[in-house]
Amino acid sequence: MVHEPNNWGRFGPDDQRGTLNLLTPAVVLDALRAATTGEVLSLAMPIRGATSSPAPTTVPHLRGRPLPQHFMSVDGGDYAAGARPIGEGLCVADDALVVTPHGTTTHMDALCHMWSGDQVYNGHPAARVRSYGATRCGIEQVGGVVARGVLFDVPRRLGLDHLPAGHRISADELAEIATPRPGDVAVIRTGWPLVWERSKEEYWSGQPGLSAHAGRWLAERDVSVVACDNAAIGGLNARGLADETLADDLHLVLLHRHGIHLIEMLWLEELGAAGRTEFVFVAAPLRIEGGTGSPVTPLAIL
Amino acid sequence: MVHEPNNWGRFGPDDQRGTLNLLTPAVVLDALRAATTGEVLSLAMPIRGATSSPAPTTVPHLRGRPLPQHFMSVDGGDYAAGARPIGEGLCVADDALVVTPHGTTTHMDALCHMWSGDQVYNGHPAARVRSYGATRCGIEQVGGVVARGVLFDVPRRLGLDHLPAGHRISADELAEIATPRPGDVAVIRTGWPLVWERSKEEYWSGQPGLSAHAGRWLAERDVSVVACDNAAIGGLNARGLADETLADDLHLVLLHRHGIHLIEMLWLEELGAAGRTEFVFVAAPLRIEGGTGSPVTPLAIL
Amino acid sequence: MVHEPNNWGRFGPDDQRGTLNLLTPAVVLDALRAATTGEVLSLAMPIRGATSSPAPTTVPHLRGRPLPQHFMSVDGGDYAAGARPIGEGLCVADDALVVTPHGTTTHMDALCHMWSGDQVYNGHPAARVRSYGATRCGIEQVGGVVARGVLFDVPRRLGLDHLPAGHRISADELAEIATPRPGDVAVIRTGWPLVWERSKEEYWSGQPGLSAHAGRWLAERDVSVVACDNAAIGGLNARGLADETLADDLHLVLLHRHGIHLIEMLWLEELGAAGRTEFVFVAAPLRIEGGTGSPVTPLAIL
Amino acid sequence: MVHEPNNWGRFGPDDQRGTLNLLTPAVVLDALRAATTGEVLSLAMPIRGATSSPAPTTVPHLRGRPLPQHFMSVDGGDYAAGARPIGEGLCVADDALVVTPHGTTTHMDALCHMWSGDQVYNGHPAARVRSYGATRCGIEQVGGVVARGVLFDVPRRLGLDHLPAGHRISADELAEIATPRPGDVAVIRTGWPLVWERSKEEYWSGQPGLSAHAGRWLAERDVSVVACDNAAIGGLNARGLADETLADDLHLVLLHRHGIHLIEMLWLEELGAAGRTEFVFVAAPLRIEGGTGSPVTPLAIL
């Protein structure tokens, strides 16, 4: 096939782009100053893949998506059943994961994930996104994100537990909370995951999200990443689809036209409760060559 | 099966332990001071899973381990072949990953990964590590690691490109470089991944690693994590196995007896070249419930 | 681990048992006489695994089971997008399948699939059924089934399109249709898969199946296999579970106590319409060492 | 995506083609007469997927191909470790399989597996072979094969255990053994799998196979299937590739130009030893919609 020879471990190839370019070392240093208490919060939902149980269906996900599968290839049960340890008595447990991150887990989108026409972000040919991975704009181009995070806790501002499904967050609603600086990670809380425990059907009945106008407002502020606890940054209708035209589609506005990476399906409840608008945001996708995205565990350092 | 009801998003259950407990907010705040230039380095090897090509075999791995598989479930090739975009013209690429991290990728070991006798770390019954995941000491117990990293670049100290396969790093060799403080992440460079490009067979002929004495020395210094660019923290012999007795096995010394998490198969060449002994180390495993480990992209903030 | 050395290709180890033992060559020869027209019907439902589409959810399956995933690792779209053919111009498409057969596809159960107490079929220790496969009673023990098939088309007999969810087929209902001879494959049509196209929810509201008495009647007739178009041979209640006590559980009666293999989730509509009670039945599971079952495409030769 | 609505269970769509069309019921009936003793032999190699052991590497396969992975999602070890049975005491074992059949298992090639130019077999556009499966010429188009098998045991004829790696079987070598009739399955034994137990490296040093001339001779005899115990019907050179030009490539000659299905990597040792040239051959691929092939367990009824 067409993979080039070994280039693992060599970051910074000519065509590397995106978040890391935005975040110069000076910006990173500045972002670290947002940490004041040192408390660390995980912003990830669990990957619950126990395959012969209904467990995988108990975590919020988009309907019809293939849920994660997690298998133990050797475990404590085998030793209980008489498996012989290694050597003098060393026991090992080992496992495997099958995961399709979009719509199923807390994940980061690569710049090759969505486009319109023949080109992905920055004019790269979409035809280079093939069965054996994207040779342009894959998730491995993102080494990591270390930036100031700014939390837009919209329902809290509005005195709600969560936004209603039809709510499309306006630019004004964001501006009233904070104005991000270039390189910041805009973290948007809708509270929608709280609906899951009440009713899956309600969770699937639509989702609140950013309006196109709010997306453009964030892009104009030159944020590096938009991260949200909903599944698609923009809202979803009852059929699980975005309603916007191509011009207004949030993935096209942010990912395709501005090279702003997206992180979706975060768990923001503890962060929201902490009452902090600024903090250090860190996320590092798996270095999946040619991947359209990666499951990720973002951290907030308060 | 026996999974408990939904508890996603609730960190800090009674039995949560390990790194996060060690690293109090005060230690985290202190660790962040180790950043001086703001440069961010990824310490991960790529996950190269293109399934119909020899690509997966080109990344360092232990012989005989199942290599990652990466599949595109829809891609740019499909649109080139005539697939109809969504709605007015939205194109999407989507993918899936099959991964068995131990021995194949940069990964973090959970406290349930190795033990001897009937108990994993801290007396939890090994019999709770079952086919549907570990209900004790799974990788999801580690929210994230934000700590000071201390680089022990042993070959550089010795004037070598990489340690020879038979080298077992002594406590003195570590102590000559630095003395980690409680909560630090000890990052050990052997340089062994450089051998891969020269010869896979040589890479598999053995591996340098920590001696048991060095492992104990680190445990006594109360480090939170030991991270290394070799595959097993300790060394490997020509058959790909550890030579130590149970008393001296590095996984048992660190993981099993002291609850010190391990990160293996890092890529440390740029970090070594940067010449920095102290930096901020961040790693956040995927929140795989009951997982024995997770692929991970650790970051060094210089 | 504990796998024995290579023994592929050597059928008939001492502990081989089940269908093949029952079917002596003389019985096979006799069974072939049941073919009168030579028409061949497939009795399999499709494996529809297209991962980024709702396609996998459109095939009858038990709720909550992980659906098959089918990935192309290289395909025609890649060549349309510019991938270079091999050599002078050879194009290849290649793919992978992830499948969990029970409850999702037409499949055959191995004798290790269900038991009670500490022993699987024939007194073999259940503790030998471990994470790396069953070293006793795995599906690879069944080389293949070539036998006379006897169709029990119960709804047709009763003048119904399909049996109602609560119907438990009695021994008398079977006996009125035919009396199988030793070694025969009893093929039971309930018509329940027809319900799927009308309503998934109705399909999941329960399932008709054999009564324990009917199961015992078949076991007494010494059939080699019981094959059915429902998901569990016996019926299911609204919660998707069998209602029988351990003594009457159909899997225990047939598989566990009598070593009668089961084939489930067949598609029998064409066979039913053909109006033939006797025919040649052929099925050959994949030779998955230690497997609890296998997806299978059974054939009826009329 | 573009899958059409449910059509499972409906065989014989307009574009169905290949083996089944060739084998009219009269030919099937005639083929069944080839059974004389009723002995049934499996012609499949095992699928040995135990993931944390070297077991998968012990079965013949092409170098660099992803080997099968077999996982138990619940097993006897879990019950030994204390897992609670269902209800009064029902225990269940369940599993999953990840398999890429080409080059790794006994498998059947679909007509979409190889082509040159823009069209697969019979002028269907190769652009319809996409990431979510082939909508033309997928393996699900083959319901099953019931035909007379004719064994060409070339090494036995030549007084050899197995053919040497460089041997290309001529049409004359076939003709001296037998002349197949239209619809027959030509089963070609090279004995090459015997080399595996002696040396993997020798197995990978090349493979004997059919010459282009022999392939054309079989196509002219109008066989329905060519089945062989090597990996690619034609021979392979030391780099694991076919040496023929496009005009002579065995896959193009048989699969692409004549619509003759191929079955590869059979285990033919017992069949060869049985000394029978004619027998009943039965194979039924999994009904994987859009699949490029399927693992299969072919049977010989002697």
Side-chain angles (χ1 to χ4, degrees), chain C:
Chain C
M1 303 299 140
V2 302
H3 273 92
E4 294 117 71
N6 258 3
N7 65 346
W8 40 272
R10 302 202 199 108
F11 286 92
D14 292 347
D15 69 339
Q16 193 167 334
R17 75 190 57 76
T19 307
L20 285 178
N21 281 7
L22 269 184
L23 300 180
T24 61
V27 170
V28 170
L29 270 192
D30 188 49
L32 292 179
R33 289 193 197 104
T36 57
T37 68
E39 191 183 2
V40 178
L41 294 176
S42 162
L43 308 182
M45 291 199 301
I47 296 177
R48 185 171 286 163
T51 296
S52 283
S53 84
T57 67
T58 64
V59 177
H61 59 270
L62 290 185
R63 196 187 335 229
R65 295 286 306 167
L67 301 184
Q69 299 190 40
H70 177 232
F71 299 104
M72 303 292 266
S73 50
V74 59
D75 57 54
D78 299 316
Y79 296 106
R84 215 172 26 175
I86 303 169
E88 298 174 60
L90 193 62
C91 298
V92 61
D94 187 13
D95 56 359
L97 178 69
V98 183
V99 64
T100 301
H102 301 290
T104 69
T105 64
T106 305
H107 67 279
M108 186 169 188
D109 286 355
L111 295 181
C112 67
H113 174 48
M114 279 201 185
W115 68 94
S116 66
D118 295 330
Q119 297 177 339
V120 296
Y121 172 68
N122 220 9
H124 288 285
R128 299 305 297 266
V129 181
R130 298 185 192 156
S131 291
Y132 35 88
T135 55
R136 295 293 180 278
C137 297
I139 195 66
E140 82 280 11
Q141 301 290 346
V142 181
V145 178
V146 181
R148 180 175 30 239
V150 178
L151 177 64
F152 295 88
D153 190 339
V154 185
R156 198 166 306 259
R157 179 84 179 184
L158 300 176
L160 301 168
D161 285 341
H162 61 82
L163 298 178
H167 193 99
R168 297 297 175 267
I169 299 165
S170 70
D172 284 351
E173 285 173 320
L174 296 181
E176 283 170 21
I177 295 173
T179 299
R181 280 167 283 179
D184 282 357
V185 174
V187 179
I188 318 289
R189 182 173 170 265
T190 68
W192 196 246
L194 295 174
V195 170
W196 180 266
E197 289 200 68
R198 191 162 69 220
S199 159
K200 288 185 190 193
E201 292 303 325
E202 185 180 352
Y203 182 84
W204 289 329
S205 69
Q207 292 206 0
L210 286 185
S211 66
H213 188 220
R216 288 197 187 91
W217 183 83
L218 288 170
E220 285 159 12
R221 307 266 116 34
D222 209 6
V223 298
S224 58
V225 173
V226 176
C228 192
D229 60 355
N230 71 5
I233 307 295
L236 296 177
N237 62 24
R239 293 166 49 232
L241 298 173
D243 267 338
E244 288 82 11
T245 61
L246 279 193
D248 281 353
D249 181 272
L250 270 296
H251 276 72
L252 294 185
V253 168
L254 295 169
L255 196 71
H256 186 231
R257 296 192 198 116
H258 287 92
I260 295 171
H261 284 86
L262 306 177
I263 306 182
E264 295 164 332
M265 304 186 75
L266 288 93
W267 178 254
L268 298 175
E269 296 313 303
E270 283 77 13
L271 182 62
R276 282 276 294 275
T277 298
E278 294 202 3
F279 50 91
V280 183
F281 182 97
V282 184
L286 300 183
R287 205 177 150 191
I288 305 164
E289 285 195 351
T292 72
S294 169
V296 72
T297 295
L299 300 178
I301 312 174
L302 305 187

Side-chain angles (χ1 to χ4, degrees), chain D residues 7-300:
Chain D
N7 66 345
W8 40 273
R10 303 203 198 107
F11 285 92
D14 292 347
D15 69 339
Q16 194 167 331
R17 74 190 58 77
T19 308
L20 284 179
N21 282 6
L22 268 185
L23 299 181
T24 61
V27 170
V28 170
L29 270 193
D30 187 49
L32 292 179
R33 290 193 196 105
T36 57
T37 68
E39 191 183 3
V40 178
L41 293 176
S42 163
L43 308 181
M45 292 200 301
I47 296 177
R48 185 172 285 164
T51 296
S52 282
S53 84
T57 67
T58 64
V59 177
H61 59 269
L62 290 184
R63 198 191 328 236
R65 295 288 303 169
L67 301 184
Q69 298 189 41
H70 177 231
F71 299 104
M72 302 293 265
S73 49
V74 60
D75 57 56
D78 299 315
Y79 296 106
R84 213 171 29 175
I86 303 169
E88 298 173 60
L90 193 63
C91 298
V92 61
D94 187 13
D95 55 359
L97 178 69
V98 183
V99 62
T100 301
H102 302 289
T104 69
T105 63
T106 305
H107 67 279
M108 186 169 188
D109 287 355
L111 295 181
C112 67
H113 175 47
M114 279 201 185
W115 68 93
S116 67
D118 296 330
Q119 298 176 340
V120 296
Y121 172 69
N122 219 8
H124 288 286
R128 298 306 295 267
V129 181
R130 297 185 192 156
S131 291
Y132 34 90
T135 54
R136 295 292 180 278
C137 297
I139 195 65
E140 82 281 12
Q141 301 290 345
V142 181
V145 179
V146 180
R148 179 173 32 236
V150 178
L151 177 64
F152 295 88
D153 190 339
V154 185
R156 199 166 305 258
R157 178 85 180 184
L158 300 176
L160 301 168
D161 286 341
H162 61 80
L163 298 178
H167 193 98
R168 297 297 175 267
I169 299 164
S170 70
D172 283 353
E173 284 173 320
L174 297 181
E176 281 170 21
I177 295 172
T179 298
R181 280 168 281 178
D184 281 358
V185 174
V187 180
I188 319 288
R189 181 174 170 265
T190 68
W192 196 246
L194 295 175
V195 171
W196 180 266
E197 288 200 69
R198 192 162 69 221
S199 159
K200 287 185 188 192
E201 291 303 323
E202 185 180 351
Y203 181 84
W204 288 330
S205 70
Q207 292 206 1
L210 286 184
S211 67
H213 189 219
R216 287 197 188 92
W217 183 83
L218 288 170
E220 286 159 11
R221 307 266 116 33
D222 208 7
V223 298
S224 59
V225 174
V226 176
C228 192
D229 60 355
N230 70 6
I233 306 296
L236 296 177
N237 62 25
R239 292 167 49 232
L241 299 173
D243 268 338
E244 288 83 10
T245 61
L246 279 195
D248 281 353
D249 181 272
L250 269 296
H251 276 73
L252 295 185
V253 167
L254 295 168
L255 196 72
H256 186 230
R257 294 192 200 118
H258 287 91
I260 295 171
H261 284 86
L262 306 177
I263 306 181
E264 294 163 331
M265 303 188 74
L266 287 93
W267 178 255
L268 298 175
E269 296 313 304
E270 283 78 13
L271 182 62
R276 283 277 295 275
T277 299
E278 295 201 0
F279 51 92
V280 183
F281 182 97
V282 184
L286 300 182
R287 204 176 151 191
I288 306 165
E289 285 196 348
T292 73
S294 169
V296 72
T297 295
L299 300 177

Side-chain angles (χ1 to χ4, degrees), chain A residues 8-12 16 20 139-146 283-288, chain B residues 39-47 106 265-272 279-282 296-302:
Chain A
W8 40 272
R10 301 200 200 110
F11 285 91
Q16 194 167 329
L20 285 179
I139 194 66
E140 82 280 11
Q141 301 291 344
V142 181
V145 179
V146 180
L286 299 183
R287 205 176 150 191
I288 306 165
Chain B
E39 192 184 1
V40 177
L41 293 177
S42 162
L43 308 182
M45 292 199 301
I47 296 177
T106 305
M265 303 187 76
L266 287 93
W267 177 254
L268 297 175
E269 296 312 304
E270 282 78 13
L271 182 62
F279 50 91
V280 183
F281 182 97
V282 184
V296 72
T297 295
L299 300 178
I301 311 175
L302 304 187

